[in-house]
């Protein structure tokens, strides 16, 4: 249901990241430009830009970057050149940084934390700035850039999934997923492609909210790269529930795969689907199509919260920057109240700040505020180096369990066996 690239945003939730298990290397012979030492100023003095400082900033949201850069220059007198960089920003900085051609700051999805931390390309944020950010930014988001109590980046934007519903079909959204399933059994009309609820039961991203109510924690609390948790009783219970979902969605898994997003979207637009979990990227499409839609948090299941995966976009200061003070001040400015308003205006994204209700524009957007609320009840995807194995294993196992070609018990066994095989192939 979601674009595949969006599935690759990942981070650990409430406990230390798996990246922390490996100490980051320190560049030899380096000072403030090549080490992960803390900021150069004390909390009482605060940071001041270096004389003659000028910065380069990589981001996918160029319009946002340029708007914030202009305001930052007015306040601090430091010019910032903004360049476009997408999913490959972490690889670019690892190649260009040591050569002196990289950016001073760069935006990356939080699944890159382990890679960047281990490579030593993230400069530790000064404690005075970190302390202030901990007060102002969302706690879950902050943990995606924190290791061993030290901050190595600044969360800028957040995203997750909520429940979309068609107001022409649903008067009041259901509070429990059990209610949606029962209503689906009565309303579904497969011959006419009418389905009360639709999602992608073949992918790890879409299925995960249905597993968390049974206690499943992917890669465990501490992001254990050795064990994704397929061998746990909680995962088995989740698979048992997935096997029953065919009653609510009587379609073969191959017709609901991740490449079927256009069908799922169109079915909701056409009023042939009442409930459809998805992300903020769907909003513009629905508005353009004139759909009478609503959004709400995911309902409960098995008496517990359904927790979707979440993504965070973090800005990091390069250890190779010649202007670490100015760069950290710009990183802090990117998470400011003024920048939060520009983020919504220029990129239609949600700030990682706690005070979303006070952000101009965003405070009046009831849809986006639901996403912000859901984020607090979400699970940032693990940063395990073997996360790609999970996507591969889950796609084949989940579809088979959903279709009934594997029992839940057989699905659990196959998931663990396939994961072990991928590990052994390393």
């Amino acid at each position: 249901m979601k674009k595949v690239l969006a599935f690759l945003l990942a981070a650990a939730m409430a406990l230390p990241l798996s990246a922390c298990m490996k100490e980051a290397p320190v560049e030899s012979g380096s000072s403030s430009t090549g080490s992960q030492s803390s900021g150069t100023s004390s909390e009482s003095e605060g940071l001041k830009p270096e004389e003659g400082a000028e910065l380069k900033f990589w981001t996918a949201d160029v319009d946002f970057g340029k708007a914030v850069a202009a305001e930052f220059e007015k306040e601090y007198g430091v010019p910032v050149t903004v360049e476009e960089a997408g999913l490959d920003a972490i690889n670019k900085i690892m190649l260009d940084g040591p050569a002196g051609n990289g950016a001073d700051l760069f935006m990356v999805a939080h699944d890159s934390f382990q890679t960047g931390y281990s490579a030593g390309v993230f400069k530790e944020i000064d404690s005075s700035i970190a302390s202030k950010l901990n007060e102002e930014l969302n706690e879950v988001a902050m943990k995606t850039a924190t290791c061993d109590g030290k901050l190595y980046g600044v969360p800028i934007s957040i995203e997750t999934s909520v429940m979309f519903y068609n107001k022409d079909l649903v008067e009041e959204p259901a509070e429990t997923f059990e209610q949606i399933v029962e209503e689906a059994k009565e309303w579904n009309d497969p011959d006419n492609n009418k389905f009360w609820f639709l999602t992608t039961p073949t992918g790890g991203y879409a299925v995960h909210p249905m597993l968390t109510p049974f206690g499943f924690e992917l890669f465990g609390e501490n992001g254990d790269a050795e064990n994704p948790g397929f061998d746990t009783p909680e995962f088995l219970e989740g698979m048992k529930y997935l096997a029953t979902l065919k009653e609510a969605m009587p379609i073969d898994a191959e017709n609901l795969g991740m490449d079927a997003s256009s069908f799922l979207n169109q079915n909701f637009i056409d009023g042939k689907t009442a409930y459809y979990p998805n992300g903020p990227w769907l909003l513009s499409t629905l508005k353009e199509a004139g759909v009478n839609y609503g959004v709400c948090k995911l309902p409960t299941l098995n008496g517990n919260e359904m927790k979707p995966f979440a993504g965070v976009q973090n800005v990091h200061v390069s250890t190779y920057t010649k202007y670490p003070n100015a760069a950290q001040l710009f990183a802090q400015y990117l998470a400011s109240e003024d920048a939060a308003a520009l983020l919504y205006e220029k990129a239609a994204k949600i700030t990682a700040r706690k005070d979303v209700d006070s952000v101009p524009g965003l405070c009046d957007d009831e849809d986006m505020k639901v996403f912000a609320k859901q984020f607090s009840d979400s699970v940032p995807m693990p940063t395990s180096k073997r996360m790609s194995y999970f996507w591969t294993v889950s796609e084949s196992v989940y579809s088979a369990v959903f279709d009934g070609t594997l029992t839940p018990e057989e699905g659990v066994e196959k998931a663990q066996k396939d994961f072990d095989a991928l590990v052994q192939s390393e």
Side-chain angles (χ1 to χ4, degrees), residues 51-82:
E51 189 169 342
E54 54 183 354
L55 303 172
K56 182 189 294 185
F57 174 42
W58 288 346
T59 177
D61 298 313
V62 174
D63 290 342
F64 161 67
K66 288 182 177 180
V68 179
E71 295 302 314
F72 179 75
E73 184 173 1
K74 289 179 185 178
E75 184 168 339
Y76 288 90
V78 177
V80 181
T81 300
V82 180

PDB file of all heavy atoms in Angstrom, residues 51-82:
ATOM      1  N   GLU A  51      34.042  32.678  12.640  1.00  0.00           N
ATOM      2  CA  GLU A  51      34.165  33.838  11.758  1.00  0.00           C
ATOM      3  C   GLU A  51      34.426  33.364  10.329  1.00  0.00           C
ATOM      4  O   GLU A  51      35.269  32.501  10.076  1.00  0.00           O
ATOM      5  CB  GLU A  51      35.314  34.729  12.239  1.00  0.00           C
ATOM      6  CG  GLU A  51      35.365  36.071  11.512  1.00  0.00           C
ATOM      7  CD  GLU A  51      36.312  37.042  12.172  1.00  0.00           C
ATOM      8  OE1 GLU A  51      36.675  36.821  13.357  1.00  0.00           O
ATOM      9  OE2 GLU A  51      36.696  38.017  11.514  1.00  0.00           O
ATOM     10  N   GLY A  52      33.673  33.903   9.397  1.00  0.00           N
ATOM     11  CA  GLY A  52      33.826  33.518   7.995  1.00  0.00           C
ATOM     12  C   GLY A  52      33.159  32.207   7.640  1.00  0.00           C
ATOM     13  O   GLY A  52      33.367  31.670   6.544  1.00  0.00           O
ATOM     14  N   ALA A  53      32.328  31.680   8.534  1.00  0.00           N
ATOM     15  CA  ALA A  53      31.682  30.381   8.288  1.00  0.00           C
ATOM     16  C   ALA A  53      30.717  30.451   7.113  1.00  0.00           C
ATOM     17  O   ALA A  53      30.009  31.440   6.907  1.00  0.00           O
ATOM     18  CB  ALA A  53      30.935  29.928   9.541  1.00  0.00           C
ATOM     19  N   GLU A  54      30.679  29.400   6.335  1.00  0.00           N
ATOM     20  CA  GLU A  54      29.700  29.199   5.278  1.00  0.00           C
ATOM     21  C   GLU A  54      29.434  27.710   5.189  1.00  0.00           C
ATOM     22  O   GLU A  54      30.346  26.892   5.348  1.00  0.00           O
ATOM     23  CB  GLU A  54      30.180  29.764   3.946  1.00  0.00           C
ATOM     24  CG  GLU A  54      31.536  29.258   3.492  1.00  0.00           C
ATOM     25  CD  GLU A  54      31.988  29.916   2.203  1.00  0.00           C
ATOM     26  OE1 GLU A  54      31.202  30.677   1.619  1.00  0.00           O
ATOM     27  OE2 GLU A  54      33.121  29.645   1.778  1.00  0.00           O
ATOM     28  N   LEU A  55      28.185  27.357   4.951  1.00  0.00           N
ATOM     29  CA  LEU A  55      27.771  25.960   5.066  1.00  0.00           C
ATOM     30  C   LEU A  55      27.176  25.420   3.773  1.00  0.00           C
ATOM     31  O   LEU A  55      26.630  26.176   2.964  1.00  0.00           O
ATOM     32  CB  LEU A  55      26.739  25.820   6.189  1.00  0.00           C
ATOM     33  CG  LEU A  55      27.159  26.290   7.581  1.00  0.00           C
ATOM     34  CD1 LEU A  55      25.965  26.254   8.528  1.00  0.00           C
ATOM     35  CD2 LEU A  55      28.302  25.435   8.127  1.00  0.00           C
ATOM     36  N   LYS A  56      27.277  24.105   3.634  1.00  0.00           N
ATOM     37  CA  LYS A  56      26.598  23.383   2.559  1.00  0.00           C
ATOM     38  C   LYS A  56      25.648  22.374   3.197  1.00  0.00           C
ATOM     39  O   LYS A  56      26.030  21.634   4.108  1.00  0.00           O
ATOM     40  CB  LYS A  56      27.605  22.652   1.669  1.00  0.00           C
ATOM     41  CG  LYS A  56      26.963  21.915   0.479  1.00  0.00           C
ATOM     42  CD  LYS A  56      27.965  21.031  -0.245  1.00  0.00           C
ATOM     43  CE  LYS A  56      29.047  21.835  -0.902  1.00  0.00           C
ATOM     44  NZ  LYS A  56      29.951  20.978  -1.709  1.00  0.00           N
ATOM     45  N   PHE A  57      24.409  22.356   2.724  1.00  0.00           N
ATOM     46  CA  PHE A  57      23.359  21.520   3.315  1.00  0.00           C
ATOM     47  C   PHE A  57      22.737  20.647   2.246  1.00  0.00           C
ATOM     48  O   PHE A  57      22.266  21.136   1.223  1.00  0.00           O
ATOM     49  CB  PHE A  57      22.305  22.423   3.960  1.00  0.00           C
ATOM     50  CG  PHE A  57      21.078  21.716   4.490  1.00  0.00           C
ATOM     51  CD1 PHE A  57      21.178  20.524   5.183  1.00  0.00           C
ATOM     52  CD2 PHE A  57      19.814  22.269   4.307  1.00  0.00           C
ATOM     53  CE1 PHE A  57      20.056  19.872   5.673  1.00  0.00           C
ATOM     54  CE2 PHE A  57      18.680  21.640   4.798  1.00  0.00           C
ATOM     55  CZ  PHE A  57      18.800  20.438   5.477  1.00  0.00           C
ATOM     56  N   TRP A  58      22.732  19.323   2.486  1.00  0.00           N
ATOM     57  CA  TRP A  58      22.096  18.380   1.573  1.00  0.00           C
ATOM     58  C   TRP A  58      20.731  17.973   2.118  1.00  0.00           C
ATOM     59  O   TRP A  58      20.608  17.573   3.279  1.00  0.00           O
ATOM     60  CB  TRP A  58      22.947  17.114   1.434  1.00  0.00           C
ATOM     61  CG  TRP A  58      24.211  17.279   0.658  1.00  0.00           C
ATOM     62  CD1 TRP A  58      24.574  18.322  -0.145  1.00  0.00           C
ATOM     63  CD2 TRP A  58      25.299  16.345   0.591  1.00  0.00           C
ATOM     64  NE1 TRP A  58      25.809  18.113  -0.698  1.00  0.00           N
ATOM     65  CE2 TRP A  58      26.277  16.906  -0.274  1.00  0.00           C
ATOM     66  CE3 TRP A  58      25.537  15.108   1.162  1.00  0.00           C
ATOM     67  CZ2 TRP A  58      27.472  16.249  -0.557  1.00  0.00           C
ATOM     68  CZ3 TRP A  58      26.723  14.445   0.892  1.00  0.00           C
ATOM     69  CH2 TRP A  58      27.683  15.010   0.031  1.00  0.00           C
ATOM     70  N   THR A  59      19.714  18.034   1.274  1.00  0.00           N
ATOM     71  CA  THR A  59      18.374  17.620   1.669  1.00  0.00           C
ATOM     72  C   THR A  59      17.547  17.275   0.436  1.00  0.00           C
ATOM     73  O   THR A  59      17.810  17.807  -0.666  1.00  0.00           O
ATOM     74  CB  THR A  59      17.657  18.729   2.467  1.00  0.00           C
ATOM     75  OG1 THR A  59      16.326  18.315   2.776  1.00  0.00           O
ATOM     76  CG2 THR A  59      17.583  20.025   1.666  1.00  0.00           C
ATOM     77  N   ALA A  60      16.552  16.426   0.611  1.00  0.00           N
ATOM     78  CA  ALA A  60      15.624  16.118  -0.471  1.00  0.00           C
ATOM     79  C   ALA A  60      14.566  17.211  -0.608  1.00  0.00           C
ATOM     80  O   ALA A  60      13.971  17.381  -1.673  1.00  0.00           O
ATOM     81  CB  ALA A  60      14.957  14.759  -0.228  1.00  0.00           C
ATOM     82  N   ASP A  61      14.344  17.939   0.473  1.00  0.00           N
ATOM     83  CA  ASP A  61      13.336  19.011   0.476  1.00  0.00           C
ATOM     84  C   ASP A  61      14.029  20.348   0.240  1.00  0.00           C
ATOM     85  O   ASP A  61      14.259  21.137   1.159  1.00  0.00           O
ATOM     86  CB  ASP A  61      12.579  19.014   1.804  1.00  0.00           C
ATOM     87  CG  ASP A  61      11.806  17.721   2.036  1.00  0.00           C
ATOM     88  OD1 ASP A  61      11.122  17.274   1.101  1.00  0.00           O
ATOM     89  OD2 ASP A  61      11.916  17.156   3.133  1.00  0.00           O
ATOM     90  N   VAL A  62      14.377  20.601  -1.013  1.00  0.00           N
ATOM     91  CA  VAL A  62      15.194  21.760  -1.349  1.00  0.00           C
ATOM     92  C   VAL A  62      14.480  23.081  -1.052  1.00  0.00           C
ATOM     93  O   VAL A  62      15.094  24.021  -0.534  1.00  0.00           O
ATOM     94  CB  VAL A  62      15.613  21.701  -2.835  1.00  0.00           C
ATOM     95  CG1 VAL A  62      16.352  22.974  -3.236  1.00  0.00           C
ATOM     96  CG2 VAL A  62      16.503  20.478  -3.085  1.00  0.00           C
ATOM     97  N   ASP A  63      13.197  23.170  -1.378  1.00  0.00           N
ATOM     98  CA  ASP A  63      12.459  24.419  -1.132  1.00  0.00           C
ATOM     99  C   ASP A  63      12.441  24.762   0.359  1.00  0.00           C
ATOM    100  O   ASP A  63      12.629  25.919   0.743  1.00  0.00           O
ATOM    101  CB  ASP A  63      11.024  24.306  -1.658  1.00  0.00           C
ATOM    102  CG  ASP A  63      10.959  24.283  -3.176  1.00  0.00           C
ATOM    103  OD1 ASP A  63      11.951  24.681  -3.815  1.00  0.00           O
ATOM    104  OD2 ASP A  63       9.927  23.851  -3.722  1.00  0.00           O
ATOM    105  N   PHE A  64      12.222  23.750   1.168  1.00  0.00           N
ATOM    106  CA  PHE A  64      12.266  23.943   2.617  1.00  0.00           C
ATOM    107  C   PHE A  64      13.658  24.370   3.059  1.00  0.00           C
ATOM    108  O   PHE A  64      13.846  25.326   3.821  1.00  0.00           O
ATOM    109  CB  PHE A  64      11.848  22.660   3.332  1.00  0.00           C
ATOM    110  CG  PHE A  64      12.268  22.575   4.775  1.00  0.00           C
ATOM    111  CD1 PHE A  64      11.724  23.428   5.724  1.00  0.00           C
ATOM    112  CD2 PHE A  64      13.215  21.644   5.192  1.00  0.00           C
ATOM    113  CE1 PHE A  64      12.108  23.367   7.065  1.00  0.00           C
ATOM    114  CE2 PHE A  64      13.609  21.562   6.518  1.00  0.00           C
ATOM    115  CZ  PHE A  64      13.057  22.433   7.454  1.00  0.00           C
ATOM    116  N   GLY A  65      14.665  23.676   2.555  1.00  0.00           N
ATOM    117  CA  GLY A  65      16.037  23.974   2.934  1.00  0.00           C
ATOM    118  C   GLY A  65      16.427  25.404   2.599  1.00  0.00           C
ATOM    119  O   GLY A  65      17.038  26.103   3.411  1.00  0.00           O
ATOM    120  N   LYS A  66      16.062  25.854   1.406  1.00  0.00           N
ATOM    121  CA  LYS A  66      16.416  27.206   0.987  1.00  0.00           C
ATOM    122  C   LYS A  66      15.682  28.255   1.826  1.00  0.00           C
ATOM    123  O   LYS A  66      16.258  29.296   2.166  1.00  0.00           O
ATOM    124  CB  LYS A  66      16.089  27.390  -0.491  1.00  0.00           C
ATOM    125  CG  LYS A  66      17.026  26.631  -1.419  1.00  0.00           C
ATOM    126  CD  LYS A  66      16.689  26.884  -2.878  1.00  0.00           C
ATOM    127  CE  LYS A  66      17.687  26.183  -3.799  1.00  0.00           C
ATOM    128  NZ  LYS A  66      17.377  26.412  -5.235  1.00  0.00           N
ATOM    129  N   ALA A  67      14.434  27.986   2.154  1.00  0.00           N
ATOM    130  CA  ALA A  67      13.664  28.940   2.950  1.00  0.00           C
ATOM    131  C   ALA A  67      14.254  29.094   4.345  1.00  0.00           C
ATOM    132  O   ALA A  67      14.389  30.210   4.862  1.00  0.00           O
ATOM    133  CB  ALA A  67      12.205  28.484   3.035  1.00  0.00           C
ATOM    134  N   VAL A  68      14.624  27.970   4.962  1.00  0.00           N
ATOM    135  CA  VAL A  68      15.214  28.028   6.304  1.00  0.00           C
ATOM    136  C   VAL A  68      16.606  28.646   6.245  1.00  0.00           C
ATOM    137  O   VAL A  68      16.991  29.420   7.126  1.00  0.00           O
ATOM    138  CB  VAL A  68      15.272  26.624   6.936  1.00  0.00           C
ATOM    139  CG1 VAL A  68      15.912  26.694   8.316  1.00  0.00           C
ATOM    140  CG2 VAL A  68      13.882  26.024   7.047  1.00  0.00           C
ATOM    141  N   ALA A  69      17.360  28.321   5.203  1.00  0.00           N
ATOM    142  CA  ALA A  69      18.708  28.864   5.061  1.00  0.00           C
ATOM    143  C   ALA A  69      18.687  30.388   4.988  1.00  0.00           C
ATOM    144  O   ALA A  69      19.540  31.069   5.571  1.00  0.00           O
ATOM    145  CB  ALA A  69      19.376  28.287   3.820  1.00  0.00           C
ATOM    146  N   ALA A  70      17.695  30.920   4.271  1.00  0.00           N
ATOM    147  CA  ALA A  70      17.591  32.370   4.138  1.00  0.00           C
ATOM    148  C   ALA A  70      17.329  33.026   5.488  1.00  0.00           C
ATOM    149  O   ALA A  70      17.926  34.068   5.824  1.00  0.00           O
ATOM    150  CB  ALA A  70      16.479  32.721   3.156  1.00  0.00           C
ATOM    151  N   GLU A  71      16.456  32.418   6.294  1.00  0.00           N
ATOM    152  CA  GLU A  71      16.152  32.966   7.614  1.00  0.00           C
ATOM    153  C   GLU A  71      17.341  32.831   8.563  1.00  0.00           C
ATOM    154  O   GLU A  71      17.621  33.724   9.368  1.00  0.00           O
ATOM    155  CB  GLU A  71      14.925  32.260   8.195  1.00  0.00           C
ATOM    156  CG  GLU A  71      13.639  32.498   7.411  1.00  0.00           C
ATOM    157  CD  GLU A  71      13.295  33.962   7.303  1.00  0.00           C
ATOM    158  OE1 GLU A  71      13.368  34.668   8.340  1.00  0.00           O
ATOM    159  OE2 GLU A  71      12.985  34.427   6.194  1.00  0.00           O
ATOM    160  N   PHE A  72      18.048  31.711   8.451  1.00  0.00           N
ATOM    161  CA  PHE A  72      19.221  31.485   9.299  1.00  0.00           C
ATOM    162  C   PHE A  72      20.306  32.522   9.003  1.00  0.00           C
ATOM    163  O   PHE A  72      20.936  33.063   9.918  1.00  0.00           O
ATOM    164  CB  PHE A  72      19.755  30.071   9.066  1.00  0.00           C
ATOM    165  CG  PHE A  72      20.976  29.725   9.878  1.00  0.00           C
ATOM    166  CD1 PHE A  72      20.883  29.443  11.224  1.00  0.00           C
ATOM    167  CD2 PHE A  72      22.233  29.690   9.274  1.00  0.00           C
ATOM    168  CE1 PHE A  72      22.016  29.127  11.975  1.00  0.00           C
ATOM    169  CE2 PHE A  72      23.370  29.374  10.013  1.00  0.00           C
ATOM    170  CZ  PHE A  72      23.247  29.097  11.366  1.00  0.00           C
ATOM    171  N   GLU A  73      20.505  32.819   7.730  1.00  0.00           N
ATOM    172  CA  GLU A  73      21.534  33.794   7.358  1.00  0.00           C
ATOM    173  C   GLU A  73      21.194  35.183   7.894  1.00  0.00           C
ATOM    174  O   GLU A  73      22.074  35.923   8.332  1.00  0.00           O
ATOM    175  CB  GLU A  73      21.702  33.854   5.846  1.00  0.00           C
ATOM    176  CG  GLU A  73      22.824  34.788   5.414  1.00  0.00           C
ATOM    177  CD  GLU A  73      23.107  34.730   3.933  1.00  0.00           C
ATOM    178  OE1 GLU A  73      22.426  33.973   3.205  1.00  0.00           O
ATOM    179  OE2 GLU A  73      24.023  35.460   3.490  1.00  0.00           O
ATOM    180  N   LYS A  74      19.895  35.522   7.882  1.00  0.00           N
ATOM    181  CA  LYS A  74      19.475  36.810   8.423  1.00  0.00           C
ATOM    182  C   LYS A  74      19.825  36.925   9.902  1.00  0.00           C
ATOM    183  O   LYS A  74      20.250  37.982  10.378  1.00  0.00           O
ATOM    184  CB  LYS A  74      17.964  36.991   8.246  1.00  0.00           C
ATOM    185  CG  LYS A  74      17.503  37.216   6.825  1.00  0.00           C
ATOM    186  CD  LYS A  74      15.984  37.348   6.788  1.00  0.00           C
ATOM    187  CE  LYS A  74      15.471  37.455   5.358  1.00  0.00           C
ATOM    188  NZ  LYS A  74      13.979  37.534   5.333  1.00  0.00           N
ATOM    189  N   GLU A  75      19.658  35.824  10.635  1.00  0.00           N
ATOM    190  CA  GLU A  75      19.857  35.857  12.081  1.00  0.00           C
ATOM    191  C   GLU A  75      21.305  35.686  12.493  1.00  0.00           C
ATOM    192  O   GLU A  75      21.781  36.328  13.433  1.00  0.00           O
ATOM    193  CB  GLU A  75      18.990  34.789  12.753  1.00  0.00           C
ATOM    194  CG  GLU A  75      19.058  34.802  14.269  1.00  0.00           C
ATOM    195  CD  GLU A  75      17.981  33.952  14.921  1.00  0.00           C
ATOM    196  OE1 GLU A  75      16.954  33.674  14.267  1.00  0.00           O
ATOM    197  OE2 GLU A  75      18.166  33.564  16.086  1.00  0.00           O
ATOM    198  N   TYR A  76      22.038  34.814  11.777  1.00  0.00           N
ATOM    199  CA  TYR A  76      23.399  34.488  12.201  1.00  0.00           C
ATOM    200  C   TYR A  76      24.483  35.015  11.259  1.00  0.00           C
ATOM    201  O   TYR A  76      25.670  34.940  11.584  1.00  0.00           O
ATOM    202  CB  TYR A  76      23.559  32.975  12.338  1.00  0.00           C
ATOM    203  CG  TYR A  76      22.842  32.390  13.532  1.00  0.00           C
ATOM    204  CD1 TYR A  76      21.527  31.947  13.430  1.00  0.00           C
ATOM    205  CD2 TYR A  76      23.475  32.303  14.772  1.00  0.00           C
ATOM    206  CE1 TYR A  76      20.859  31.419  14.535  1.00  0.00           C
ATOM    207  CE2 TYR A  76      22.827  31.767  15.865  1.00  0.00           C
ATOM    208  CZ  TYR A  76      21.513  31.330  15.744  1.00  0.00           C
ATOM    209  OH  TYR A  76      20.856  30.802  16.840  1.00  0.00           O
ATOM    210  N   GLY A  77      24.071  35.506  10.094  1.00  0.00           N
ATOM    211  CA  GLY A  77      25.058  36.009   9.150  1.00  0.00           C
ATOM    212  C   GLY A  77      25.878  34.938   8.472  1.00  0.00           C
ATOM    213  O   GLY A  77      26.950  35.209   7.922  1.00  0.00           O
ATOM    214  N   VAL A  78      25.396  33.709   8.501  1.00  0.00           N
ATOM    215  CA  VAL A  78      26.112  32.582   7.898  1.00  0.00           C
ATOM    216  C   VAL A  78      25.363  32.122   6.652  1.00  0.00           C
ATOM    217  O   VAL A  78      24.225  31.655   6.746  1.00  0.00           O
ATOM    218  CB  VAL A  78      26.247  31.409   8.886  1.00  0.00           C
ATOM    219  CG1 VAL A  78      26.940  30.222   8.206  1.00  0.00           C
ATOM    220  CG2 VAL A  78      27.013  31.836  10.126  1.00  0.00           C
ATOM    221  N   PRO A  79      25.969  32.244   5.468  1.00  0.00           N
ATOM    222  CA  PRO A  79      25.304  31.771   4.245  1.00  0.00           C
ATOM    223  C   PRO A  79      25.288  30.247   4.168  1.00  0.00           C
ATOM    224  O   PRO A  79      26.243  29.592   4.592  1.00  0.00           O
ATOM    225  CB  PRO A  79      26.157  32.376   3.130  1.00  0.00           C
ATOM    226  CG  PRO A  79      27.514  32.538   3.740  1.00  0.00           C
ATOM    227  CD  PRO A  79      27.280  32.862   5.193  1.00  0.00           C
ATOM    228  N   VAL A  80      24.200  29.707   3.633  1.00  0.00           N
ATOM    229  CA  VAL A  80      24.050  28.258   3.502  1.00  0.00           C
ATOM    230  C   VAL A  80      23.669  27.918   2.064  1.00  0.00           C
ATOM    231  O   VAL A  80      22.656  28.402   1.554  1.00  0.00           O
ATOM    232  CB  VAL A  80      22.968  27.702   4.446  1.00  0.00           C
ATOM    233  CG1 VAL A  80      22.864  26.178   4.303  1.00  0.00           C
ATOM    234  CG2 VAL A  80      23.254  28.085   5.893  1.00  0.00           C
ATOM    235  N   THR A  81      24.481  27.108   1.415  1.00  0.00           N
ATOM    236  CA  THR A  81      24.173  26.606   0.084  1.00  0.00           C
ATOM    237  C   THR A  81      23.396  25.297   0.228  1.00  0.00           C
ATOM    238  O   THR A  81      23.847  24.385   0.931  1.00  0.00           O
ATOM    239  CB  THR A  81      25.451  26.352  -0.731  1.00  0.00           C
ATOM    240  OG1 THR A  81      26.171  27.576  -0.857  1.00  0.00           O
ATOM    241  CG2 THR A  81      25.124  25.813  -2.111  1.00  0.00           C
ATOM    242  N   VAL A  82      22.242  25.215  -0.428  1.00  0.00           N
ATOM    243  CA  VAL A  82      21.392  24.038  -0.310  1.00  0.00           C
ATOM    244  C   VAL A  82      21.458  23.224  -1.596  1.00  0.00           C
ATOM    245  O   VAL A  82      21.253  23.753  -2.693  1.00  0.00           O
ATOM    246  CB  VAL A  82      19.927  24.443  -0.027  1.00  0.00           C
ATOM    247  CG1 VAL A  82      19.041  23.195   0.089  1.00  0.00           C
ATOM    248  CG2 VAL A  82      19.848  25.276   1.252  1.00  0.00           C
TER     249      VAL A  82
END
